[in-house]
Amino acid sequence: MQEIYLDNHATTRVDSRVIEAMLPWMNDEFANAGSHTHGSGRRAAAMVEQCTERILGLLGAPNHELVYTSGATESINLAIFGTFSHPKQTRRGLLVGLADHRAVLDCAKRLKTLECSGPKLTGQKLSDQSYSVGYIKVKDAASQQAGAIDLEAFQEALNDKVAMVSVILGNNEIGTLQNIEPLAQACHNVGALLHIDATQAIGKIDFRAEDIQADFISFSAHKFYGPKGIGGLLVPKDRLRLRPQIIGGGQQNNLRSGTLNTPGIAGMCRALEVATEELPIEAQRLRILRNRLWDRLFESIAGLGLNGPPIEARAIQPAQSPARSWENRLPGNLNVRFPKVEGQSLMLKVPQLALSSGSACSSSDPSPSHVLQAIGLNDEEARSSLRFGIGRFNTTQEIDEAADRIVAAYNELRLFVA
Ligand SMILES: Cc1ncc(COP(=O)(O)O)c(C=O)c1O
């Protein structure tokens, strides 16, 4: 029996249309986009330029420039350390959401251990030379927006010492979609920069950078059916104060050195085109599959809990309205809590299903999910949860089969617990 892949938050299969777009840049047109001395190098550079324009257009980002990176983790590192290590940066504060991805949380943790590189005043104490990190509370499990930033806590933490605020746009575990506008407004009122981790949201919701007024935006192509090893950071056109973190050949206007990944860039551009063209239909199809999975599990497992924002009413009609208005939750995300049975044990019982209990980066870490803890679940509830990431290539039959297998495995395990 073939594996049913339901881990599309961890990564997605590369769409064949994307592979087709990448191939020429690996064989016939393999030249280095930095080689301006010959035609093939100039053709590669022209392709990169076209892709950059296209990506900025598709992301609605006329006020940003695009820095290509190896993926969202690197983009996030560049946004955070690039901002705080700039010699003219005088502010010391970073605020991050408690339900943010580890790529952000680990940068925040590291930042706290560093000494400021910014201007130092004479007579300054050592403690004044270190960075401060604040963690913003998120709304709890009972809220319609479970996992979204608690605006009151955010307003309290924000002040004119904060250089940057980083928040996640689409949560990778519980799918929460964050409303960015009020945060952007508040940040700009105190002169703080806003970084958005849009890794799970780009290609899944109708996203336009100009609508949300964020300064930095991170993303990865492999989350929207593009290749691994390529991503981007949207940086304000005036660049503000950003210090490169990878130095060397001076590529990308010195913002990120290293030979450009031309097949990756061609692939990311094509992946974004396909995702954008198909978005309204695909998002609705994913919602229908996601809700079907929830319905099937809910009907058969007494006391099954939903983690994260509510999913809409059952039996949604096929797409009539474009996905312009964001709902509270990513369309392909489902995260459920099984009464009295651990998610890990359940997963072991269904080896035919590719699933996870949370983020791929934490899958070897036995501690309960920090996101589920952030919305107020206790350890037992967090450990009894599983995440389903439904994607472009899943079928209705797969969803039904996955539900049947989970229910059977749950019923078997349930016999062994009081
Ligand atoms: C929300 C979020 N941010 C950042 C990342 C890191 O992305 P990458 O592993 O592509 O660098 C991920 C990957 O799971 C993610 O889901």
Side-chain angles (χ1 to χ4, degrees), residues 68-118:
Y68 292 107
T69 63
S70 60
T73 302
E74 187 192 324
S75 304
I76 291 164
N77 273 262
L78 175 57
I80 294 179
F81 293 116
T83 295
F84 283 92
S85 66
H86 193 279
K88 292 204 171 127
Q89 181 57 259
T90 52
R91 295 185 180 202
R92 313 288 199 229
L94 170 67
L95 295 180
V96 297
L98 264 178
D100 277 12
H101 190 270
R102 271 194 54 191
V104 168
L105 296 178
D106 283 4
C107 284
K109 203 157 127 192
R110 163 74 65 87
L111 186 74
K112 238 176 133 172
T113 68
L114 303 178
E115 198 184 312
C116 298
S117 54

Side-chain angles (χ1 to χ4, degrees), residues 9-10 70-74 76 101 103 168 170 172 197 199-200 220 222-223 359-361:
H9 296 302
S70 60
T73 302
E74 187 192 324
I76 291 164
H101 190 270
I168 188 165
N172 54 302
D197 175 0
T199 313
Q200 293 289 343
S220 257
H222 72 102
K223 305 290 188 183
S359 138
C361 327

Side-chain angles (χ1 to χ4, degrees), residues 268-326:
M268 178 157 80
C269 182
R270 186 70 189 119
L272 193 59
E273 282 175 351
V274 172
T276 310
E277 276 159 28
E278 300 188 348
L279 184 97
I281 304 279
E282 181 163 306
Q284 193 67 340
R285 200 180 76 81
L286 294 185
R287 278 183 212 111
I288 291 170
L289 290 181
R290 187 262 317 272
N291 293 4
R292 184 179 180 99
L293 180 57
W294 166 251
D295 283 354
R296 296 225 154 191
L297 296 176
F298 189 71
E299 277 159 12
S300 309
I301 299 176
L304 189 78
L306 176 72
N307 294 327
I311 59 178
E312 317 98 280
R314 300 167 181 213
I316 301 175
Q317 297 307 307
Q320 324 95 342
S321 61
R324 189 76 202 111
S325 62
W326 297 355

